[in-house]
Amino acid sequence: MPPSPHVEKHFTATEVVRDIVIGMSDGLTVPFALAAGISGAVASARIIVVAGLAEIAAGSIAMGLGGYLAAKTDAEHYAAEREREIRETVELPDVETEEVAKVFREYGLSDAQMAPVVQAICGNQTNWVDFMMRFELGLEAPDPRRANRSAVTIAASYVVGGLIPLAPYMALSDVISGLRFSVVITIVALGVFGFVKSSFTGISPWKGALQTVITGGIAAAAAFGLARLVS
Amino acid sequence: MPPSPHVEKHFTATEVVRDIVIGMSDGLTVPFALAAGISGAVASARIIVVAGLAEIAAGSIAMGLGGYLAAKTDAEHYAAEREREIRETVELPDVETEEVAKVFREYGLSDAQMAPVVQAICGNQTNWVDFMMRFELGLEAPDPRRANRSAVTIAASYVVGGLIPLAPYMALSDVISGLRFSVVITIVALGVFGFVKSSFTGISPWKGALQTVITGGIAAAAAFGLARLVS
């Protein structure tokens, strides 16, 4: 079943945007919160930069590879379920025909009304299996290029996001000045990111901006408080 | 349209497992890689523990709130698209009827075969809109309790995962001994986690175990190398 151009566009845009959002929201938040957190416990901006860069390396790779494996797993899960459905149309055709009928029954169709449709769908194995995958299991065929693209998009977004809060500690050797500038530019960056992100998901941009700023703030405050407490 | 018990069970299990996987794979990997990374640059196990705990606090909150906002955004996106479809069935009924017909045409049905089905679906606005949401847009109605549950599941999994690699640095004051024990118990934990995770996604458990160990290893090696380089 070839998806209509409308649906395909809809999904591709969503997935790339989602990957950027996944990478950048954590990239802006966690290195910022970590640097702010340990600035309450260590006196050297150098250690903060080292820890921050180590976090960006670890976080971007972990999230990028995580995205790669998630996309691969989705593809393998889809292939395994599809194999199962193909087998079932051969071994249990009555059960599978009834499952097609069940989908239409949920829309209030009588057996007489749906009979020609059910017969047409089950008369062609490819259509039959496609129908079961999408309408019984709710699974869409994954894009085979998604795994690599997803990994690179997430990791790059994390690195870009993470370098923003860390830049002041690199430029200024004083921890307190670094922390102040880091707080200001990260709040601005989180706000802009939240604002732009919202335009893709259809929620209010100002609400989106506020949400990301608050998320980053809570994470940083918790990291700061915990680091103070244990040091 | 009430989903069948089979489908509902399928999705609920997948979402909770996915949240645990999201939280724990990053929780096991990033604090481990951060601690290993800065162990190449700082001599004090105390600073590693402070940085590690700050990272766990920041990471768990950022990911937990991220999961909360993602679930909320999904729910708002679904509601906004549903509003639009309802409006379109009133304002552009011919276009929407044709879109229902298009779905069936993709399965090789003739206009005569599908006529009674299309009429039945478009004769009831709720069924009509439900059909468009699921089959044109590929959107499932989100579970309203998902946002809170998702946030707590992701954050808790991150904390549990993150404390495992950090425990040796807490117990041992020597950085090198801490690093060695941390590497060993984290490899074991990543392997067990990858093995168990695979049983939910249907891929080979040993392959899954290997994947998570390699992911953690690459992230830690990169963090370690980068921290060495800049310190």
Side-chain angles (χ1 to χ4, degrees):
Chain A
M1 177 193 62
S4 66
H6 167 73
V7 172
E8 190 156 49
K9 182 159 168 274
H10 177 80
F11 276 102
T12 307
T14 303
E15 287 179 348
V16 172
V17 169
R18 187 181 295 171
D19 287 341
I20 292 174
V21 168
I22 288 171
M24 192 159 281
S25 52
D26 275 32
L28 273 170
T29 310
V30 182
F32 164 63
L34 171 71
I38 57 178
S39 75
V42 300
S44 155
R46 195 187 61 82
I47 291 180
I48 294 174
V49 171
V50 170
L53 289 176
E55 210 289 329
I56 292 173
S60 63
I61 290 171
M63 290 197 77
L65 286 179
Y68 177 86
L69 294 179
K72 279 279 179 210
T73 301
D74 276 354
E76 285 167 20
H77 180 60
Y78 185 87
E81 291 284 342
R82 199 181 166 87
E83 277 302 310
R84 195 168 65 91
E85 289 295 338
I86 290 172
R87 216 166 45 238
E88 286 179 358
T89 58
V90 176
E91 290 169 7
L92 305 161
D94 292 352
V95 175
E96 293 299 294
T97 305
E98 171 53 27
E99 285 183 350
V100 172
K102 206 168 71 184
V103 171
F104 292 112
R105 210 168 289 131
E106 285 171 353
Y107 291 96
L109 268 66
S110 70
D111 284 4
Q113 283 173 319
M114 73 174 78
V117 179
V118 173
Q119 271 170 23
I121 290 170
C122 301
N124 175 313
Q125 201 194 24
T126 306
N127 284 345
W128 193 357
V129 171
D130 281 343
F131 187 89
M132 298 306 289
M133 292 304 290
R134 192 160 169 201
F135 299 157
E136 191 210 4
L137 300 177
L139 295 174
E140 299 281 337
D143 181 344
R145 295 158 306 176
R146 176 149 161 69
N148 289 320
R149 206 171 45 197
S150 186
V152 172
T153 309
I154 292 174
S157 306
Y158 195 98
V159 171
V160 170
L163 288 175
I164 293 170
L166 215 58
Y169 298 98
M170 294 176 180
L172 306 162
S173 57
D174 176 42
V175 172
I176 302 302
S177 310
L179 175 61
R180 283 188 190 144
F181 275 93
S182 181
V183 168
V184 172
I185 68 166
T186 306
I187 286 175
V188 172
L190 283 168
V192 170
F193 168 66
F195 194 95
V196 173
K197 185 182 80 171
S198 306
S199 69
F200 288 98
T201 52
I203 67 168
S204 149
W206 292 107
K207 189 177 160 193
L210 196 67
Q211 279 178 343
T212 53
V213 170
I214 289 173
T215 303
I218 293 174
F224 189 85
L226 192 66
R228 271 281 158 109
L229 205 69
V230 297
S231 69
Chain B
M1 179 192 61
S4 65
H6 168 72
V7 171
E8 189 156 53
K9 183 161 167 273
H10 177 80
F11 276 102
T12 307
T14 304
E15 286 179 350
V16 172
V17 169
R18 187 182 296 170
D19 287 341
I20 292 174
V21 168
I22 287 171
M24 193 160 280
S25 51
D26 275 33
L28 272 171
T29 311
V30 182
F32 164 62
L34 172 71
I38 56 179
S39 75
V42 300
S44 154
R46 195 187 61 84
I47 291 181
I48 294 174
V49 171
V50 170
L53 289 177
E55 210 288 330
I56 292 173
S60 63
I61 291 171
M63 291 198 77
L65 286 179
Y68 177 86
L69 294 179
K72 279 280 180 211
T73 302
D74 276 355
E76 285 167 21
H77 180 60
Y78 185 87
E81 292 284 343
R82 199 180 166 88
E83 276 302 310
R84 195 167 67 89
E85 289 294 339
I86 290 172
R87 217 166 44 237
E88 286 179 359
T89 58
V90 177
E91 291 168 7
L92 304 161
D94 291 352
V95 175
E96 292 300 294
T97 305
E98 170 53 27
E99 284 184 351
V100 172
K102 207 168 72 184
V103 171
F104 291 113
R105 209 168 288 131
E106 286 171 351
Y107 290 96
L109 266 66
S110 71
D111 285 4
Q113 282 173 320
M114 72 174 77
V117 178
V118 174
Q119 270 170 24
I121 289 171
C122 301
N124 174 313
Q125 202 196 24
T126 306
N127 285 345
W128 194 356
V129 171
D130 281 344
F131 187 88
M132 299 306 290
M133 292 303 291
R134 191 160 169 202
F135 299 158
E136 191 210 5
L137 300 177
L139 296 174
E140 299 280 338
D143 180 345
R145 295 158 304 174
R146 176 150 162 67
N148 289 319
R149 205 171 44 196
S150 185
V152 172
T153 309
I154 293 174
S157 306
Y158 195 96
V159 171
V160 170
L163 289 175
I164 293 171
L166 215 58
Y169 298 98
M170 294 175 180
L172 307 163
S173 57
D174 176 41
V175 172
I176 303 301
S177 310
L179 176 61
R180 282 188 190 144
F181 275 93
S182 181
V183 167
V184 172
I185 68 165
T186 307
I187 286 175
V188 172
L190 282 167
V192 171
F193 168 66
F195 194 95
V196 173
K197 185 182 80 170
S198 307
S199 70
F200 288 98
T201 52
I203 67 170
S204 149
W206 292 106
K207 189 177 160 193
L210 196 67
Q211 280 178 343
T212 53
V213 170
I214 289 173
T215 303
I218 292 174
F224 189 86
L226 191 68
R228 271 281 158 109
L229 206 69
V230 297
S231 70

